């Protein structure tokens, strides 16, 4: 279990980290799962970012430890949609779901600290146009 909280730094933060901790576990079939426990979750902007970043982290850790990436499991506490994101949410909700892209990692990387931006390839990413949303209030 890896904690996102450093209690000695909490007094320096505007808010405690929304993602509290994650747990990695390996199955006997050689797959590795990652479960993220999140104490607070911004439904419109934060959750999609957390899903993408922790799924990528799962892929990276699985690769460097010799396992296959399995499932990303997301446990959420206080899930909320800010008032100034409601209009953007309805635009997004009514969109057709597009095929997901494929993420490929450089198979030569065997140390988690050696990954660079160039070692991550995103293929067939064809998103809808961006939806502008203000900072949450």
């Amino acid at each position: 279990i890896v904690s996102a909280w450093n209690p000695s730094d909490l007094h320096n933060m505007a808010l405690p980290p929304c993602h509290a901790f994650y747990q990695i576990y390996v199955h006997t079939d050689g797959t590795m799962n990652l479960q993220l426990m999140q104490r607070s979750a911004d439904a419109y902007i934060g959750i999609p970012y957390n899903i993408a970043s922790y799924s990528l982290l799962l892929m990276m850790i699985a690769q460097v430890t010799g396992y296959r990436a399995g499932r990303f499991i997301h446990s959420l506490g206080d899930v909320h949609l800010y008032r100034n994101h409601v209009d953007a949410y309805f635009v997004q909700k009514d969109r057709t779901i597009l095929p997901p892209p494929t993420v490929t990692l450089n198979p030569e990387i065997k140390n988690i600290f050696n990954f660079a931006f160039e070692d991550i390839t995103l293929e067939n990413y064809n998103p809808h146009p961006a939806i502008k949303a203000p900072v949450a209030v």
Side-chain angles (χ1 to χ4, degrees):
I1 294 178
V2 178
S3 175
W5 292 53
N6 183 349
S8 65
D9 284 337
L10 288 175
H11 69 279
N12 294 323
M13 300 177 196
L15 292 171
C18 292
H19 49 110
F21 62 93
Y22 65 92
Q23 176 180 0
I24 293 176
Y25 47 99
V26 177
H27 292 276
T28 55
D29 67 358
T31 58
M32 174 183 282
N33 291 351
L34 184 150
Q35 180 175 7
L36 171 62
M37 277 60 95
Q38 195 164 341
R39 68 160 192 89
S40 180
D42 173 355
Y44 182 70
I45 293 177
I47 291 174
Y49 177 81
N50 292 128
I51 291 170
S53 59
Y54 276 93
S55 294
L56 179 59
L57 179 63
L58 168 61
M59 293 176 67
M60 295 165 72
I61 293 172
Q63 176 173 304
V64 301
T65 57
Y67 293 100
R68 290 186 323 276
R71 295 177 183 242
F72 167 73
I73 301 121
H74 203 173
S75 299
L76 303 165
D78 173 18
V79 179
H80 45 271
L81 179 64
Y82 291 101
R83 286 186 185 152
N84 60 345
H85 291 167
V86 171
D87 292 341
Y89 163 77
F90 279 108
V91 171
Q92 184 179 43
K93 178 187 80 61
D94 292 336
R95 287 181 166 177
T96 302
I97 296 174
L98 300 174
T102 301
V103 178
T104 306
L105 302 178
N106 177 351
E108 300 298 315
I109 305 298
K110 304 298 182 197
N111 182 318
I112 193 77
F113 298 107
N114 290 344
F115 276 104
F117 183 77
E118 298 76 26
D119 296 313
I120 304 164
T121 304
L122 187 62
E123 297 170 337
N124 300 316
Y125 181 54
N126 300 304
H128 288 285
I131 301 170
K132 299 290 184 183
V135 173
V137 293

